[in-house]
Each structure stands twice: as structure tokens, then as C-alpha cells.
Amino acid sequence: MSRQMRRQVSRRHARGFTLIEVLLAVTLLVAGLALAFATIRSAMAISQRGEAISAGNERIRAVESLLRRRLSNAMPIALQPPEPDTPAPRFIGEPQRMQFAADVPAYLGRGGAYVHTLAVSGQRDAQQLTLELVLLQDGVQIPEVPARAPEVLADALQRVEFRYRGIDPVSGDLADWQPQWDDPQQWPLLVSI
């Protein structure tokens, strides 16, 4: 073959790519894009999970702050009219329910004293912590018309328990935590939720 023919043949090869080279380049491009897309999806999923955890933690902090304020603003007033031979309760503390009177800001109700009923409902791994507010005037609870359902403070909880701690009347020392508060006329010193 002459030089001129060799140049023509080499020019033909230099003009483009073979089909195999094009397919290989496209395959590598698709693989790179798939890897980049998977990485972005994974990063977005991690970010969304982090935001959900952060929002849940913020909700729990808000609930804790609300309950702390409500319990610290509790008033030593009767929750219901007294019976003839029995004084009216001022605080009810049970393992799954707590009831006390406290004032609420006007933006949460009409203002003034309200009976706060904090309760646990639901089954294992799906328990809810609810708060019900009922207006209290002269020891009489005045429900709203139409009745308002209890507000869900937290849900999808695994375990919720109320505990109470006071002074041991015999020794005068701080007593152990109790699941039930037995003296509805006295407030416990500490409440654990």
C-alpha cells in the first residue's frame, strides 16, 4: 500500500468513534449518573429523617415546658363541689391520669381557673398523652358547648407513667416515688411524667 492510501485509511479512522466506544462511554455516563442520583437520594432521606427527629424533639420540649408551667401555676382550689361529709379533692394523681386546677392565659381559653386533666390513652407502643381543659367557677366545672375533645400533646409513645412524691408523715423525710397519690387534699412535692 502506498503512503497516500495509508493516509486516507488512517484519516477515515480518525474522523469518528466506533460503536463500541460510544456504547462504552454512554454506559459509563449512565453508571455515573445513577451513582450520583443514589447519593443525592440517600442524603435527602438522611436529611428528612434528621428533620423529623428534630421536630419530634422540639415537640417534646414544648410539651414539657407547657406541663411544667401548668403544674407550677396550680391552684389549691377544689376541683368539684364538696360532698356533705367529704372535702372536695384539690389534686387527683393516678398512674394514668392526673387532675388539678390552674389558671390559663386568655389565648388558651376564657382566662381564669381551669381543671386540667392530663391522661394517657391507647395501647402499648401507641399511647397518647392528652390534656383536657374545663372552666372551673366556685368549684363547679363548666364544660364548653359544643364539647371540645382533649388536646393530644404527644402520640405514638411507647410508655407513659405518672409518679408522685411527697413527705413521709411518719419520718418527715422525702418519701419514695408512688404510682398513686393518696391524699387528694394535699399536693405532692414532685410529679414525674
Side-chain angles (χ1 to χ4, degrees):
M1 229 192 261
S2 70
R3 281 187 180 175
Q4 194 175 17
M5 285 182 84
R6 280 189 209 155
R7 284 185 192 158
Q8 286 177 349
V9 169
S10 67
R11 283 186 190 157
R12 270 192 238 142
H13 288 295
R15 287 187 201 162
F17 300 101
T18 65
L19 181 60
I20 292 176
E21 292 172 332
V22 171
L23 288 175
L24 182 60
V26 169
T27 302
L28 289 174
L29 178 66
V30 167
L33 289 174
L35 181 62
F37 181 71
T39 303
I40 290 171
R41 257 181 85 186
S42 176
M44 286 178 59
I46 290 170
S47 174
Q48 288 171 345
R49 277 194 301 259
E51 287 177 13
I53 290 170
S54 177
N57 288 341
E58 185 61 32
R59 170 85 178 177
I60 292 297
R61 275 193 294 275
V63 167
E64 178 200 12
S65 176
L66 172 78
L67 294 177
R68 190 177 297 270
R69 283 192 316 269
R70 296 296 93 226
L71 285 165
S72 66
N73 289 336
M75 307 161 110
I77 59 176
L79 301 175
Q80 58 196 28
E83 298 291 325
D85 295 333
T86 308
R90 297 171 191 262
F91 180 86
I92 297 172
E94 299 168 350
Q96 298 289 299
R97 185 174 79 98
M98 182 186 322
Q99 201 170 46
F100 58 94
D103 64 336
V104 296
Y107 67 86
L108 287 178
R110 297 180 187 148
Y114 275 73
V115 173
H116 291 59
T117 303
L118 193 60
V120 178
S121 62
Q123 301 298 324
R124 290 182 60 145
D125 295 339
Q127 293 184 343
Q128 291 183 329
L129 182 62
T130 61
L131 176 65
E132 182 178 10
L133 300 173
V134 177
L135 184 62
L136 183 65
Q137 290 182 344
D138 297 326
V140 177
Q141 295 183 26
I142 304 170
E144 288 186 26
V145 177
R148 184 167 50 173
E151 187 73 30
V152 177
L153 298 178
D155 59 355
L157 301 172
Q158 293 178 357
R159 188 182 72 151
V160 181
E161 65 181 10
F162 299 154
R163 297 182 309 157
Y164 314 94
R165 198 169 189 188
I167 299 293
D168 185 345
V170 176
S171 68
D173 294 333
L174 194 60
D176 292 332
W177 287 102
Q178 302 296 321
Q180 177 97 17
W181 186 249
D182 295 325
D183 187 358
Q185 294 301 304
Q186 297 295 321
W187 269 82
L189 288 179
L190 301 170
V191 173
S192 170
I193 302 172

Short mmCIF file of all heavy atoms in Angstrom, two decimals, residues 23-84:
data_model
loop_
_atom_site.label_atom_id
_atom_site.label_comp_id
_atom_site.label_asym_id
_atom_site.label_seq_id
_atom_site.Cartn_x
_atom_site.Cartn_y
_atom_site.Cartn_z
N LEU A 23 -20.88 3.17 22.90
CA LEU A 23 -21.66 2.42 23.89
C LEU A 23 -20.96 2.39 25.24
O LEU A 23 -21.60 2.53 26.29
CB LEU A 23 -21.93 1.01 23.39
CG LEU A 23 -22.94 0.88 22.25
CD1 LEU A 23 -23.03 -0.56 21.78
CD2 LEU A 23 -24.31 1.38 22.70
N LEU A 24 -19.67 2.22 25.25
CA LEU A 24 -18.91 2.21 26.49
C LEU A 24 -18.98 3.57 27.19
O LEU A 24 -19.20 3.65 28.41
CB LEU A 24 -17.46 1.82 26.22
CG LEU A 24 -16.55 1.71 27.46
CD1 LEU A 24 -17.06 0.66 28.41
CD2 LEU A 24 -15.12 1.41 27.03
N ALA A 25 -18.86 4.65 26.44
CA ALA A 25 -18.95 6.00 27.02
C ALA A 25 -20.35 6.26 27.60
O ALA A 25 -20.49 6.80 28.70
CB ALA A 25 -18.61 7.04 25.97
N VAL A 26 -21.38 5.85 26.87
CA VAL A 26 -22.77 6.04 27.36
C VAL A 26 -23.00 5.21 28.61
O VAL A 26 -23.61 5.66 29.58
CB VAL A 26 -23.78 5.70 26.24
CG1 VAL A 26 -25.19 5.61 26.79
CG2 VAL A 26 -23.71 6.74 25.13
N THR A 27 -22.51 3.99 28.63
CA THR A 27 -22.66 3.12 29.81
C THR A 27 -21.98 3.74 31.03
O THR A 27 -22.54 3.74 32.13
CB THR A 27 -22.07 1.73 29.52
OG1 THR A 27 -22.73 1.18 28.37
CG2 THR A 27 -22.25 0.80 30.69
N LEU A 28 -20.77 4.23 30.85
CA LEU A 28 -20.07 4.88 31.97
C LEU A 28 -20.81 6.13 32.44
O LEU A 28 -20.89 6.40 33.65
CB LEU A 28 -18.63 5.22 31.56
CG LEU A 28 -17.68 4.03 31.39
CD1 LEU A 28 -16.34 4.49 30.84
CD2 LEU A 28 -17.52 3.29 32.69
N LEU A 29 -21.35 6.90 31.50
CA LEU A 29 -22.11 8.09 31.86
C LEU A 29 -23.37 7.72 32.65
O LEU A 29 -23.67 8.33 33.69
CB LEU A 29 -22.48 8.88 30.60
CG LEU A 29 -23.31 10.14 30.83
CD1 LEU A 29 -22.50 11.17 31.62
CD2 LEU A 29 -23.76 10.72 29.50
N VAL A 30 -24.09 6.72 32.21
CA VAL A 30 -25.31 6.27 32.91
C VAL A 30 -24.96 5.76 34.31
O VAL A 30 -25.64 6.06 35.29
CB VAL A 30 -26.06 5.20 32.08
CG1 VAL A 30 -27.12 4.51 32.90
CG2 VAL A 30 -26.67 5.83 30.84
N ALA A 31 -23.89 4.99 34.42
CA ALA A 31 -23.47 4.47 35.73
C ALA A 31 -23.10 5.63 36.67
O ALA A 31 -23.46 5.62 37.85
CB ALA A 31 -22.30 3.51 35.56
N GLY A 32 -22.39 6.61 36.16
CA GLY A 32 -22.03 7.78 36.98
C GLY A 32 -23.24 8.56 37.43
O GLY A 32 -23.35 8.98 38.59
N LEU A 33 -24.20 8.75 36.51
CA LEU A 33 -25.44 9.47 36.88
C LEU A 33 -26.26 8.68 37.89
O LEU A 33 -26.84 9.26 38.82
CB LEU A 33 -26.26 9.76 35.62
CG LEU A 33 -25.70 10.83 34.69
CD1 LEU A 33 -26.54 10.92 33.42
CD2 LEU A 33 -25.65 12.17 35.39
N ALA A 34 -26.33 7.36 37.73
CA ALA A 34 -27.07 6.53 38.69
C ALA A 34 -26.44 6.60 40.07
O ALA A 34 -27.13 6.72 41.08
CB ALA A 34 -27.13 5.08 38.19
N LEU A 35 -25.15 6.57 40.14
CA LEU A 35 -24.44 6.69 41.42
C LEU A 35 -24.68 8.06 42.04
O LEU A 35 -24.96 8.17 43.25
CB LEU A 35 -22.94 6.44 41.21
CG LEU A 35 -22.08 6.49 42.47
CD1 LEU A 35 -22.51 5.41 43.45
CD2 LEU A 35 -20.61 6.34 42.10
N ALA A 36 -24.61 9.10 41.24
CA ALA A 36 -24.85 10.45 41.76
C ALA A 36 -26.29 10.58 42.26
O ALA A 36 -26.55 11.15 43.33
CB ALA A 36 -24.57 11.49 40.68
N PHE A 37 -27.26 10.05 41.51
CA PHE A 37 -28.66 10.11 41.91
C PHE A 37 -28.90 9.35 43.21
O PHE A 37 -29.59 9.82 44.10
CB PHE A 37 -29.54 9.56 40.78
CG PHE A 37 -31.00 9.62 41.09
CD1 PHE A 37 -31.67 10.83 41.14
CD2 PHE A 37 -31.72 8.47 41.36
CE1 PHE A 37 -33.02 10.90 41.43
CE2 PHE A 37 -33.07 8.52 41.67
CZ PHE A 37 -33.73 9.74 41.69
N ALA A 38 -28.30 8.15 43.33
CA ALA A 38 -28.44 7.36 44.56
C ALA A 38 -27.84 8.10 45.76
O ALA A 38 -28.40 8.10 46.85
CB ALA A 38 -27.79 6.00 44.39
N THR A 39 -26.72 8.75 45.55
CA THR A 39 -26.08 9.51 46.63
C THR A 39 -26.96 10.69 47.06
O THR A 39 -27.14 10.94 48.26
CB THR A 39 -24.70 10.02 46.17
OG1 THR A 39 -23.91 8.90 45.78
CG2 THR A 39 -24.00 10.79 47.27
N ILE A 40 -27.53 11.39 46.09
CA ILE A 40 -28.40 12.53 46.41
C ILE A 40 -29.65 12.05 47.13
O ILE A 40 -30.08 12.65 48.12
CB ILE A 40 -28.74 13.31 45.13
CG1 ILE A 40 -27.50 14.03 44.61
CG2 ILE A 40 -29.88 14.30 45.37
CD1 ILE A 40 -27.66 14.66 43.24
N ARG A 41 -30.26 10.94 46.66
CA ARG A 41 -31.45 10.41 47.33
C ARG A 41 -31.15 10.00 48.76
O ARG A 41 -31.93 10.26 49.68
CB ARG A 41 -31.97 9.19 46.56
CG ARG A 41 -33.17 9.50 45.73
CD ARG A 41 -33.66 8.29 45.02
NE ARG A 41 -34.56 7.54 45.90
CZ ARG A 41 -35.06 6.38 45.58
NH1 ARG A 41 -34.75 5.81 44.45
NH2 ARG A 41 -35.88 5.78 46.40
N SER A 42 -30.02 9.36 48.97
CA SER A 42 -29.62 8.94 50.32
C SER A 42 -29.41 10.15 51.22
O SER A 42 -29.85 10.16 52.37
CB SER A 42 -28.35 8.10 50.24
OG SER A 42 -27.90 7.77 51.52
N ALA A 43 -28.75 11.16 50.71
CA ALA A 43 -28.53 12.38 51.50
C ALA A 43 -29.85 13.07 51.84
O ALA A 43 -30.03 13.56 52.96
CB ALA A 43 -27.61 13.34 50.74
N MET A 44 -30.78 13.08 50.89
CA MET A 44 -32.10 13.69 51.17
C MET A 44 -32.86 12.90 52.21
O MET A 44 -33.51 13.48 53.10
CB MET A 44 -32.91 13.80 49.88
CG MET A 44 -32.42 14.89 48.95
SD MET A 44 -33.33 14.99 47.41
CE MET A 44 -34.97 15.30 47.99
N ALA A 45 -32.81 11.56 52.15
CA ALA A 45 -33.50 10.73 53.13
C ALA A 45 -32.91 10.94 54.52
O ALA A 45 -33.65 11.06 55.50
CB ALA A 45 -33.42 9.26 52.73
N ILE A 46 -31.60 11.01 54.61
CA ILE A 46 -30.95 11.25 55.90
C ILE A 46 -31.35 12.63 56.43
O ILE A 46 -31.65 12.79 57.61
CB ILE A 46 -29.43 11.12 55.77
CG1 ILE A 46 -29.05 9.65 55.55
CG2 ILE A 46 -28.71 11.68 56.99
CD1 ILE A 46 -27.60 9.44 55.17
N SER A 47 -31.39 13.61 55.57
CA SER A 47 -31.77 14.96 55.97
C SER A 47 -33.22 15.00 56.46
O SER A 47 -33.52 15.62 57.48
CB SER A 47 -31.59 15.92 54.80
OG SER A 47 -32.08 17.20 55.11
N GLN A 48 -34.11 14.32 55.76
CA GLN A 48 -35.52 14.30 56.16
C GLN A 48 -35.69 13.58 57.49
O GLN A 48 -36.47 14.01 58.34
CB GLN A 48 -36.38 13.64 55.08
CG GLN A 48 -36.53 14.51 53.85
CD GLN A 48 -37.21 13.79 52.71
OE1 GLN A 48 -37.33 12.57 52.70
NE2 GLN A 48 -37.64 14.55 51.71
N ARG A 49 -34.97 12.47 57.70
CA ARG A 49 -35.05 11.77 58.99
C ARG A 49 -34.53 12.66 60.11
O ARG A 49 -35.11 12.71 61.20
CB ARG A 49 -34.26 10.47 58.94
CG ARG A 49 -35.02 9.31 58.34
CD ARG A 49 -34.32 7.99 58.62
NE ARG A 49 -32.97 7.97 58.09
CZ ARG A 49 -32.60 7.39 56.98
NH1 ARG A 49 -33.48 6.77 56.24
NH2 ARG A 49 -31.34 7.41 56.59
N GLY A 50 -33.45 13.37 59.85
CA GLY A 50 -32.90 14.28 60.86
C GLY A 50 -33.88 15.39 61.20
O GLY A 50 -34.05 15.75 62.37
N GLU A 51 -34.54 15.93 60.18
CA GLU A 51 -35.53 16.98 60.42
C GLU A 51 -36.72 16.43 61.20
O GLU A 51 -37.26 17.11 62.08
CB GLU A 51 -36.00 17.58 59.10
CG GLU A 51 -34.98 18.47 58.45
CD GLU A 51 -35.42 19.00 57.09
OE1 GLU A 51 -36.61 18.88 56.75
OE2 GLU A 51 -34.57 19.55 56.38
N ALA A 52 -37.16 15.21 60.90
CA ALA A 52 -38.28 14.60 61.64
C ALA A 52 -37.91 14.37 63.10
O ALA A 52 -38.72 14.65 64.00
CB ALA A 52 -38.70 13.29 60.98
N ILE A 53 -36.71 13.89 63.35
CA ILE A 53 -36.25 13.69 64.73
C ILE A 53 -36.16 15.03 65.46
O ILE A 53 -36.59 15.16 66.61
CB ILE A 53 -34.90 12.95 64.75
CG1 ILE A 53 -35.09 11.50 64.32
CG2 ILE A 53 -34.24 13.02 66.12
CD1 ILE A 53 -33.81 10.74 64.06
N SER A 54 -35.64 16.02 64.78
CA SER A 54 -35.53 17.36 65.38
C SER A 54 -36.91 17.93 65.71
O SER A 54 -37.12 18.49 66.79
CB SER A 54 -34.77 18.29 64.44
OG SER A 54 -34.72 19.59 64.95
N ALA A 55 -37.86 17.78 64.79
CA ALA A 55 -39.22 18.27 65.03
C ALA A 55 -39.87 17.53 66.19
O ALA A 55 -40.56 18.14 67.02
CB ALA A 55 -40.06 18.14 63.77
N GLY A 56 -39.65 16.22 66.27
CA GLY A 56 -40.20 15.44 67.40
C GLY A 56 -39.60 15.89 68.73
O GLY A 56 -40.32 16.03 69.72
N ASN A 57 -38.29 16.10 68.75
CA ASN A 57 -37.64 16.57 69.97
C ASN A 57 -38.15 17.96 70.38
O ASN A 57 -38.36 18.23 71.56
CB ASN A 57 -36.13 16.60 69.80
CG ASN A 57 -35.53 15.22 69.78
OD1 ASN A 57 -36.14 14.26 70.23
ND2 ASN A 57 -34.32 15.10 69.25
N GLU A 58 -38.34 18.82 69.40
CA GLU A 58 -38.86 20.16 69.69
C GLU A 58 -40.28 20.08 70.25
O GLU A 58 -40.64 20.81 71.16
CB GLU A 58 -38.82 21.02 68.43
CG GLU A 58 -39.23 22.45 68.65
CD GLU A 58 -38.33 23.19 69.63
OE1 GLU A 58 -37.13 22.90 69.70
OE2 GLU A 58 -38.84 24.05 70.36
N ARG A 59 -41.09 19.18 69.70
CA ARG A 59 -42.46 18.99 70.19
C ARG A 59 -42.45 18.51 71.64
O ARG A 59 -43.21 19.01 72.47
CB ARG A 59 -43.20 17.99 69.28
CG ARG A 59 -44.53 17.52 69.77
CD ARG A 59 -45.62 18.43 69.39
NE ARG A 59 -46.89 17.89 69.87
CZ ARG A 59 -48.01 18.49 69.74
NH1 ARG A 59 -48.06 19.64 69.13
NH2 ARG A 59 -49.11 17.96 70.19
N ILE A 60 -41.58 17.56 71.95
CA ILE A 60 -41.48 17.05 73.32
C ILE A 60 -41.02 18.15 74.27
O ILE A 60 -41.54 18.29 75.38
CB ILE A 60 -40.55 15.83 73.39
CG1 ILE A 60 -41.18 14.65 72.65
CG2 ILE A 60 -40.23 15.44 74.82
CD1 ILE A 60 -42.49 14.16 73.23
N ARG A 61 -40.06 18.98 73.84
CA ARG A 61 -39.62 20.10 74.70
C ARG A 61 -40.76 21.08 74.94
O ARG A 61 -40.93 21.61 76.04
CB ARG A 61 -38.43 20.82 74.06
CG ARG A 61 -37.10 20.19 74.36
CD ARG A 61 -35.95 21.09 73.99
NE ARG A 61 -35.82 21.33 72.57
CZ ARG A 61 -35.20 20.54 71.73
NH1 ARG A 61 -34.62 19.45 72.16
NH2 ARG A 61 -35.12 20.83 70.45
N ALA A 62 -41.56 21.35 73.91
CA ALA A 62 -42.70 22.26 74.06
C ALA A 62 -43.73 21.68 75.02
O ALA A 62 -44.28 22.40 75.86
CB ALA A 62 -43.32 22.56 72.70
N VAL A 63 -44.00 20.39 74.91
CA VAL A 63 -44.96 19.73 75.81
C VAL A 63 -44.43 19.77 77.24
O VAL A 63 -45.18 20.07 78.17
CB VAL A 63 -45.25 18.28 75.35
CG1 VAL A 63 -45.97 17.49 76.42
CG2 VAL A 63 -46.05 18.28 74.06
N GLU A 64 -43.15 19.48 77.40
CA GLU A 64 -42.56 19.52 78.74
C GLU A 64 -42.67 20.93 79.34
O GLU A 64 -43.04 21.09 80.50
CB GLU A 64 -41.10 19.10 78.69
CG GLU A 64 -40.44 19.18 80.06
CD GLU A 64 -38.93 19.23 80.01
OE1 GLU A 64 -38.37 19.45 78.93
OE2 GLU A 64 -38.33 19.11 81.09
N SER A 65 -42.39 21.93 78.55
CA SER A 65 -42.49 23.31 79.03
C SER A 65 -43.93 23.67 79.41
O SER A 65 -44.17 24.28 80.44
CB SER A 65 -41.97 24.26 77.95
OG SER A 65 -42.12 25.59 78.34
N LEU A 66 -44.88 23.27 78.57
CA LEU A 66 -46.29 23.53 78.88
C LEU A 66 -46.70 22.86 80.18
O LEU A 66 -47.31 23.50 81.05
CB LEU A 66 -47.18 23.02 77.74
CG LEU A 66 -48.68 23.06 78.03
CD1 LEU A 66 -49.22 24.46 77.88
CD2 LEU A 66 -49.44 22.08 77.16
N LEU A 67 -46.36 21.58 80.36
CA LEU A 67 -46.74 20.87 81.57
C LEU A 67 -46.05 21.45 82.80
O LEU A 67 -46.66 21.57 83.87
CB LEU A 67 -46.43 19.38 81.43
CG LEU A 67 -47.24 18.64 80.37
CD1 LEU A 67 -46.80 17.21 80.26
CD2 LEU A 67 -48.72 18.74 80.67
N ARG A 68 -44.80 21.82 82.64
CA ARG A 68 -44.08 22.43 83.77
C ARG A 68 -44.76 23.73 84.22
O ARG A 68 -44.94 23.98 85.40
CB ARG A 68 -42.63 22.68 83.36
CG ARG A 68 -41.72 23.07 84.50
CD ARG A 68 -40.29 23.22 84.00
NE ARG A 68 -39.74 21.99 83.48
CZ ARG A 68 -39.08 21.10 84.21
NH1 ARG A 68 -38.90 21.31 85.48
NH2 ARG A 68 -38.59 20.01 83.65
N ARG A 69 -45.15 24.57 83.23
CA ARG A 69 -45.84 25.83 83.56
C ARG A 69 -47.21 25.56 84.18
O ARG A 69 -47.60 26.22 85.14
CB ARG A 69 -45.99 26.70 82.31
CG ARG A 69 -44.73 27.41 81.90
CD ARG A 69 -44.97 28.47 80.84
NE ARG A 69 -45.85 28.07 79.76
CZ ARG A 69 -45.45 27.50 78.62
NH1 ARG A 69 -44.18 27.27 78.42
NH2 ARG A 69 -46.32 27.18 77.69
N ARG A 70 -47.96 24.62 83.62
CA ARG A 70 -49.29 24.32 84.15
C ARG A 70 -49.19 23.82 85.58
O ARG A 70 -49.96 24.22 86.44
CB ARG A 70 -50.02 23.28 83.29
CG ARG A 70 -50.34 23.67 81.85
CD ARG A 70 -51.30 24.85 81.72
NE ARG A 70 -50.55 26.08 81.61
CZ ARG A 70 -50.79 27.20 82.28
NH1 ARG A 70 -51.80 27.31 83.08
NH2 ARG A 70 -50.05 28.26 82.16
N LEU A 71 -48.27 22.90 85.85
CA LEU A 71 -48.13 22.35 87.20
C LEU A 71 -47.60 23.39 88.18
O LEU A 71 -48.02 23.43 89.34
CB LEU A 71 -47.23 21.11 87.20
CG LEU A 71 -47.88 19.85 86.62
CD1 LEU A 71 -46.84 18.80 86.31
CD2 LEU A 71 -48.93 19.32 87.58
N SER A 72 -46.71 24.27 87.73
CA SER A 72 -46.18 25.29 88.65
C SER A 72 -47.21 26.38 88.92
O SER A 72 -47.12 27.06 89.93
CB SER A 72 -44.88 25.89 88.10
OG SER A 72 -45.13 26.61 86.92
N ASN A 73 -48.21 26.55 88.03
CA ASN A 73 -49.27 27.53 88.25
C ASN A 73 -50.51 26.92 88.91
O ASN A 73 -51.56 27.56 88.97
CB ASN A 73 -49.70 28.16 86.92
CG ASN A 73 -48.64 29.08 86.37
OD1 ASN A 73 -47.81 29.61 87.10
ND2 ASN A 73 -48.65 29.28 85.07
N ALA A 74 -50.39 25.69 89.39
CA ALA A 74 -51.55 25.02 90.00
C ALA A 74 -52.05 25.80 91.22
O ALA A 74 -51.28 26.43 91.94
CB ALA A 74 -51.17 23.61 90.40
N MET A 75 -53.36 25.75 91.38
CA MET A 75 -54.02 26.48 92.47
C MET A 75 -54.61 25.49 93.47
O MET A 75 -55.18 24.48 93.06
CB MET A 75 -55.13 27.35 91.90
CG MET A 75 -54.67 28.25 90.78
SD MET A 75 -56.07 28.82 89.81
CE MET A 75 -56.11 30.51 90.28
N PRO A 76 -54.50 25.78 94.76
CA PRO A 76 -55.06 24.86 95.77
C PRO A 76 -56.57 25.07 95.95
O PRO A 76 -57.04 25.42 97.03
CB PRO A 76 -54.28 25.21 97.02
CG PRO A 76 -53.95 26.65 96.85
CD PRO A 76 -53.76 26.87 95.37
N ILE A 77 -57.33 24.88 94.88
CA ILE A 77 -58.79 25.05 94.97
C ILE A 77 -59.47 23.73 94.65
O ILE A 77 -58.90 22.85 94.00
CB ILE A 77 -59.29 26.17 94.04
CG1 ILE A 77 -58.95 25.89 92.58
CG2 ILE A 77 -58.73 27.52 94.45
CD1 ILE A 77 -59.50 26.92 91.61
N ALA A 78 -60.71 23.61 95.10
CA ALA A 78 -61.48 22.37 94.92
C ALA A 78 -61.79 22.14 93.44
O ALA A 78 -62.12 23.07 92.71
CB ALA A 78 -62.76 22.44 95.73
N LEU A 79 -61.67 20.89 93.03
CA LEU A 79 -61.95 20.52 91.65
C LEU A 79 -63.44 20.29 91.40
O LEU A 79 -63.87 20.24 90.25
CB LEU A 79 -61.19 19.24 91.28
CG LEU A 79 -59.67 19.32 91.41
CD1 LEU A 79 -59.05 17.96 91.12
CD2 LEU A 79 -59.11 20.37 90.47
N GLN A 80 -64.20 20.12 92.46
CA GLN A 80 -65.64 19.89 92.36
C GLN A 80 -66.28 20.30 93.67
O GLN A 80 -65.60 20.47 94.67
CB GLN A 80 -65.91 18.41 92.04
CG GLN A 80 -65.34 17.47 93.08
CD GLN A 80 -65.27 16.04 92.58
OE1 GLN A 80 -65.16 15.80 91.40
NE2 GLN A 80 -65.33 15.09 93.48
N PRO A 81 -67.59 20.46 93.70
CA PRO A 81 -68.24 20.83 94.96
C PRO A 81 -68.04 19.73 96.00
O PRO A 81 -68.03 18.55 95.67
CB PRO A 81 -69.72 20.96 94.58
CG PRO A 81 -69.75 21.08 93.10
CD PRO A 81 -68.53 20.41 92.58
N PRO A 82 -67.88 20.11 97.28
CA PRO A 82 -67.65 19.09 98.32
C PRO A 82 -68.92 18.30 98.60
O PRO A 82 -70.03 18.79 98.46
CB PRO A 82 -67.22 19.92 99.53
CG PRO A 82 -67.77 21.27 99.28
CD PRO A 82 -67.83 21.46 97.80
N GLU A 83 -68.72 17.04 98.98
CA GLU A 83 -69.81 16.19 99.45
C GLU A 83 -70.11 16.58 100.90
O GLU A 83 -69.28 17.22 101.55
CB GLU A 83 -69.39 14.72 99.37
CG GLU A 83 -69.09 14.23 97.97
CD GLU A 83 -70.32 14.14 97.10
OE1 GLU A 83 -71.41 13.81 97.63
OE2 GLU A 83 -70.22 14.42 95.89
N PRO A 84 -71.28 16.22 101.44
CA PRO A 84 -71.61 16.63 102.81
C PRO A 84 -70.57 16.25 103.86
O PRO A 84 -70.24 17.03 104.72
CB PRO A 84 -72.95 15.93 103.07
CG PRO A 84 -73.52 15.68 101.72
CD PRO A 84 -72.38 15.52 100.79
#
